[in-house]
Amino acid sequence: MVLTISGASRDVMLLDRLIETAPGAVLGTLINTLVLPPTYERRAREATAELHAVLLPVRLALDALTR
């Protein structure tokens, strides 16, 4: 929400601020979802797969040592 020096003490001012910010929030959500979806999940999946590939030989070596 928009911060001002004086608070939105009147109901009209509060409604005005909500009318200003609601379209921006809706538009931002739509753009983030439809036009430029976040790719953090894909990057996390790839990083986890790389980490698994690196740590698998270490785990197998430790398993061999404990037998």
Side-chain angles (χ1 to χ4, degrees), residues 14-67:
L14 179 61
L15 183 62
D16 187 42
R17 292 288 181 217
L18 290 174
I19 290 172
E20 286 178 359
T21 56
V26 169
L27 184 63
T29 303
L30 286 175
I31 288 174
N32 194 25
T33 313
L34 301 174
V35 179
L36 295 170
T39 58
Y40 56 84
E41 182 180 325
R42 181 184 52 166
R43 282 187 240 143
R45 193 176 311 125
E46 291 170 358
T48 305
E50 289 174 14
L51 183 63
H52 173 72
V54 169
L55 291 179
L56 182 62
V58 175
R59 192 196 72 151
L60 293 175
L62 286 172
D63 283 347
L65 287 174
T66 57
R67 288 185 189 166

